[in-house]
């Protein structure tokens, strides 16, 4: 197996950790801002996403210490766009999830053929994040509209 560039891998893992921690804060924040008849299931879904982001942050942190490196205590960028509309919240979520997905793809490029464990981890996360983005995309479609909202993901 080819050599692993541990420094670059840790750098990407730290960016993943920060992005996932920002997701915890972002989804928790959104969950306070949902009003109307459907608020209870939407709040439950947003809080599930916050919990999932925390799990993903913990997995990234464990990978960092597995490599003998120090996990970042920073958090990814958080933009308060004062969105109260569920469509806008979901579009914002889709855009930020797309950035996290790009980081996992960058990680896969660095570890492919170099570490079975990290390669499996990166592929599993890409699978999970793509599935999640697809779920949000379906929520953004108008009822009866089959075409993907954002087919570029
Ligand atoms: Fe995630």
């Amino acid at each position: 197996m080819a050599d692993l560039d541990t420094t670059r891998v840790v750098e990407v893992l730290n960016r993943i950790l920060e992005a996932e921690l920002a997701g915890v804060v972002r989804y928790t924040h959104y969950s306070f801002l949902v009003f109307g008849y459907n608020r209870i299931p939407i709040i439950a879904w947003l809080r599930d996403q916050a919990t999932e982001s925390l799990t993903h942050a913990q997995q990234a942190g464990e990978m960092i210490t597995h490599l003998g490196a120090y996990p970042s205590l920073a958090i990814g960028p958080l933009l308060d766009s004062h969105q109260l509309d569920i469509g806008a919240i979901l579009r914002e979520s889709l855009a930020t999830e797309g950035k996290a997905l790009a980081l996992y793809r960058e990680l896969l490029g660095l570890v492919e053929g170099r570490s079975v464990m990290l390669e499996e981890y990166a592929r599993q996360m890409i699978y999970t994040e793509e599935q999640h983005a697809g779920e949000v995309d379906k929520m953004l479609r108008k009822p009866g509209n089959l075409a993907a909202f954002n087919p570029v993901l």
Side-chain angles (χ1 to χ4, degrees):
M1 269 199 170
D3 277 353
L4 191 68
D5 186 345
T6 311
T7 310
R8 280 188 68 199
V9 169
V10 167
E11 194 247 323
V12 175
L13 281 169
N14 265 320
R15 274 159 53 211
I16 289 171
L17 169 59
E18 292 168 7
E20 294 287 7
L21 285 176
V24 177
V25 176
R26 189 180 300 110
Y27 282 116
T28 303
H29 176 75
Y30 290 153
S31 78
F32 302 136
L33 300 172
V34 178
F35 305 103
Y37 299 129
N38 294 324
R39 70 183 295 266
I40 289 169
I42 295 172
I43 287 171
W45 184 82
L46 289 167
R47 298 218 170 130
D48 281 349
Q49 301 316 304
T51 306
E52 196 175 302
S53 278
L54 180 60
T55 304
H56 293 175
Q58 289 164 343
Q59 286 171 314
E62 290 294 344
M63 289 294 165
I64 293 164
T65 53
H66 179 92
L67 294 169
Y70 190 75
S72 168
L73 191 60
I75 186 164
L78 283 165
L79 180 74
D80 191 350
S81 52
H82 291 267
Q83 293 296 351
L84 294 168
D85 164 60
I86 186 69
I89 288 173
L90 289 175
R91 281 190 295 277
E92 206 170 282
S93 156
L94 197 58
T96 50
E97 294 287 349
K99 286 179 191 154
L101 189 53
L103 286 172
Y104 285 113
R105 287 195 177 125
E106 192 180 337
L107 178 70
L108 180 62
L110 289 173
V111 301
E112 216 166 14
R114 293 177 159 84
S115 159
V116 171
M117 182 194 71
L118 287 165
E119 195 177 327
E120 285 292 306
Y121 163 69
R123 285 186 192 280
Q124 178 62 43
M125 294 315 294
I126 291 167
Y127 168 79
T128 304
E129 299 289 356
E130 268 191 45
Q131 232 185 3
H132 177 248
E135 197 181 306
V136 177
D137 191 289
K138 285 182 188 178
M139 288 164 85
L140 281 165
R141 292 180 208 174
K142 298 257 182 298
N145 195 351
L146 195 59
F149 173 80
N150 186 2
V152 289
L153 269 175

